[in-house]
Amino acid sequence: MEGDDCEFPSEPSEHSRSQRGSVASSVTRAQDVLVYLVSDSAVHLCVEGVGGVCVQELGRNVREALNIPDSAQDAFAFWLCSPLLELQLKPKHQPYKLCRQWQDLLYRFTEASTEDISLDEPCLQYRRNVFYPRSKELQVEDEGVLRLLYDEAKLNILEGRYPCDPEHWVRLGALACAIELGIGLQEEKLVAAIREKKLSSFLPAHVVLGSGGFFSTLRTRGGRQAELEQNLLQEYGTVSANQDLPTLFRQYLSTCHTLPYYGCAFFMGEIDKPAQGILHRGGRKAVSVGISLEGVYVIDMKEKHVLLGLRFSELSWDHSYPETEGDSHILWLEFDGEEAGMPVNKLLKIYSKQAELMSGLIEFCVELRAVGEAAAAAVGSAEQAREQRRQRKLRRQSSVVCSRVHTLSTISYVDDGKEIKRLKPKRAASFFTRQAPPTYSTVQVTDGLEQG
């Protein structure tokens, strides 16, 4: 990702060259390029010399086609996406050449099989920039820009990438109804319109389907659908009938902003399960790791809740490479904990071929965060106080955004680190002495990838 230490392969490997043609003819020839939006619509461009065109040049063409004002040009970025990998590109990257290296990137950063890799093909997407501050979103006035941001936020809610509590998904569903079906509808017309588009167009799929087994789902589906429809109707009634679309878009985004992992880039990984039973069998659990300017969030995608959420001032991290064949890349997250009333350091191991990407992104975000905090200090602390109040409201124990450290299998040790002599995590802040503002070391920024 942007700012990490990962380099693109300088040339495609043999298995890439064997399946991709020469780019020589594309250097000068005009070709059609489709840039997809999150809504599955696409911007059709005719580009001269597409093989050598960089993201920065494409960006000007797409912004012109979508009528995006210059004031919002930093809100979006280009991504190469497929079911196996998502990478945000830097302005100087050349998408066509990176597509030719796609198989190399999949071998390097995923656990996909050779067959799956050979069949995978990326598309070029134009979507939210991971480094775009939330505060700027609510200052956007252009309806087209707000629509793009809304489409992406809604997709992440519906797919469960952004776990949220019932009061959130009901509110978001009602706002989506107002945006897409219109405001001020009578109950009968609203129910008919919801049923025509299906509840899954407004509420997260796991909420609509429920968590029971197949037969349990069949038995209760009708009652559950009716209950969800009634919840939407009641909340829809609270949406003011005199609001315009930009206001509704901002309300949707503002509600999403209460979720700490909004705007994150997401990575796939695994963590150890706590040992259970007489034989102390553990195994591993698949997780999604979200990283943004706000912090790091480890999410149980099956249960749709946060396992661990840490701001950068609350963690240290490191990335370790495999020591022997069969070992995994590991992202280590270190944070404060307590056992038997004693303060301890806890280590969580995240196994992932994308650990290198995650570490690089954390490092870059720490630097950007330091710059942003220095600027914010000159403006004042009012917004920070509002954010803290919002976080206190969210972090109740029953909330899906509340960390569940007790469910994690972590390594605990006192500050002398006797049990993990071989690892010395990089520190974003010192432990046990966090009263003082954290300080950051200089980060050397190199070319890299961006991963979502």
Side-chain angles (χ1 to χ4, degrees):
M1 298 195 68
E2 197 162 320
D4 68 28
D5 297 325
C6 304
E7 298 285 349
F8 286 115
S10 57
E11 290 293 335
S13 63
E14 283 300 323
H15 62 257
S16 290
R17 283 196 294 265
S18 66
Q19 299 187 40
R20 302 227 194 310
S22 171
V23 298
S25 62
S26 68
V27 172
T28 57
R29 184 159 49 92
Q31 288 186 327
D32 292 335
V33 174
L34 288 179
V35 179
Y36 288 90
L37 307 177
V38 172
S39 61
D40 283 338
S41 59
V43 178
H44 188 180
L45 303 174
C46 185
V47 181
E48 294 280 350
V50 67
V53 171
C54 68
V55 162
Q56 190 169 15
E57 296 174 65
L58 277 179
R60 286 192 289 267
N61 295 333
V62 171
R63 289 195 298 274
E64 182 179 346
L66 296 174
N67 295 316
I68 293 177
D70 291 341
S71 59
Q73 64 178 337
D74 293 334
F76 303 101
F78 285 91
W79 296 65
L80 281 181
C81 301
S82 81
L84 300 181
L85 187 63
E86 297 180 355
L87 299 171
Q88 182 176 313
L89 307 183
K90 299 171 71 172
K92 69 178 182 179
H93 284 146
Q94 298 174 332
Y96 186 85
K97 291 183 178 179
L98 296 181
C99 285
R100 296 184 67 245
Q101 300 174 358
W102 191 247
Q103 289 191 1
D104 297 300
L105 298 173
L106 294 179
Y107 277 111
R108 181 176 179 183
F109 296 120
T110 76
E111 300 285 355
S113 66
T114 300
E115 181 181 3
D116 287 341
I117 288 176
S118 67
L119 297 174
D120 193 64
E121 185 174 340
C123 68
L124 187 63
Q125 270 195 344
Y126 191 67
R127 53 193 251 202
R128 190 185 188 281
N129 179 1
V130 121
F131 302 116
Y132 192 64
R134 299 182 190 182
S135 57
K136 287 188 176 182
E137 278 195 0
L138 300 182
Q139 298 172 12
V140 173
E141 297 181 355
D142 184 83
E143 184 175 323
V145 173
L146 290 169
R147 164 69 74 173
L148 293 174
L149 293 170
Y150 159 78
D151 285 340
E152 184 167 347
K154 181 191 170 191
L155 180 66
N156 285 325
I157 291 292
L158 297 185
E159 292 185 345
R161 242 183 183 185
Y162 294 165
C164 51
D165 294 313
E167 62 265 31
H168 287 126
W169 51 250
V170 170
R171 180 62 179 171
L172 292 170
L175 287 169
C177 287
I179 290 169
E180 298 176 24
L181 305 178
I183 54 180
L185 294 180
Q186 296 297 319
E187 182 173 322
E188 290 184 2
K189 289 186 177 180
L190 178 59
V191 170
I194 291 174
R195 289 177 180 174
E196 183 179 352
K197 292 199 70 172
K198 296 185 178 180
L199 274 172
S200 56
S201 298
F202 306 103
L203 299 176
H206 69 279
V207 171
V208 175
L209 296 176
S211 57
F214 176 73
F215 292 107
S216 173
T217 300
L218 286 179
R219 286 194 301 268
T220 62
R221 185 171 183 179
R224 181 173 183 80
Q225 297 256 341
E227 179 184 357
L228 292 173
E229 285 178 1
Q230 190 60 37
N231 290 340
L232 272 184
L233 289 173
Q234 291 177 356
E235 190 65 32
Y236 176 86
T238 69
V239 178
S240 176
N242 59 1
Q243 296 183 93
D244 57 12
L245 269 179
T247 301
L248 292 172
F249 286 143
R250 277 191 287 269
Q251 286 187 14
Y252 194 99
L253 294 171
S254 180
T255 303
C256 288
H257 287 187
T258 64
L259 305 173
Y261 28 80
Y262 173 80
C264 279
F266 288 96
F267 305 78
M268 301 311 297
E270 294 181 327
I271 61 172
D272 291 316
K273 293 181 179 178
Q276 296 178 340
I278 299 176
L279 299 179
H280 295 283
R281 290 176 177 171
R284 292 182 183 175
K285 176 197 293 286
V287 295
S288 174
V289 182
I291 300 173
S292 71
L293 293 174
E294 307 298 320
V296 180
Y297 303 91
V298 182
I299 299 172
D300 186 328
M301 293 307 293
K302 180 180 179 182
E303 300 298 332
K304 307 300 179 188
H305 60 220
V306 172
L307 295 169
L308 181 66
L310 297 168
R311 293 186 177 274
F312 292 122
S313 60
E314 300 171 329
L315 66 86
S316 298
W317 86 99
D318 204 354
H319 158 236
S320 60
Y321 292 88
E323 295 181 352
T324 60
E325 187 175 351
D327 286 351
S328 301
H329 287 262
I330 297 175
L331 178 72
W332 301 81
L333 296 181
E334 184 186 32
F335 56 98
D336 287 354
E338 183 178 298
E339 286 194 7
M342 175 185 296
V344 297
N345 288 67
K346 286 184 174 289
L347 270 177
L348 177 67
K349 294 194 292 184
I350 301 174
Y351 305 92
S352 175
K353 271 194 168 184
Q354 297 169 10
E356 186 179 0
L357 292 172
M358 291 187 262
S359 179
L361 179 57
I362 292 173
E363 192 166 31
F364 192 59
C365 285
V366 164
E367 182 185 66
L368 291 180
R369 184 77 178 175
V371 173
E373 287 176 349
V379 175
S381 59
E383 178 59 31
Q384 182 180 2
R386 285 194 294 271
E387 174 69 13
Q388 289 173 348
R389 286 195 297 272
R390 188 158 59 235
Q391 292 301 321
R392 283 198 295 271
K393 180 180 179 181
L394 280 173
R395 290 184 178 179
R396 60 185 186 280
Q397 185 57 41
S398 60
S399 172
V400 297
V401 305
C402 178
S403 293
R404 290 159 172 77
V405 178
H406 63 283
T407 68
L408 298 174
S409 176
T410 58
I411 300 172
S412 297
Y413 67 100
V414 292
D415 57 352
D416 60 9
K418 290 181 179 179
E419 297 182 29
I420 52 167
K421 293 180 180 178
R422 66 186 181 88
L423 183 68
K424 184 178 180 181
K426 302 172 187 176
R427 294 186 179 271
S430 61
F431 287 97
F432 306 113
T433 56
R434 290 212 180 92
Q435 292 81 1
T439 57
Y440 301 93
S441 56
T442 302
V443 178
Q444 298 299 320
V445 180
T446 60
D447 290 347
L449 301 175
E450 292 211 1
Q451 149 87 29

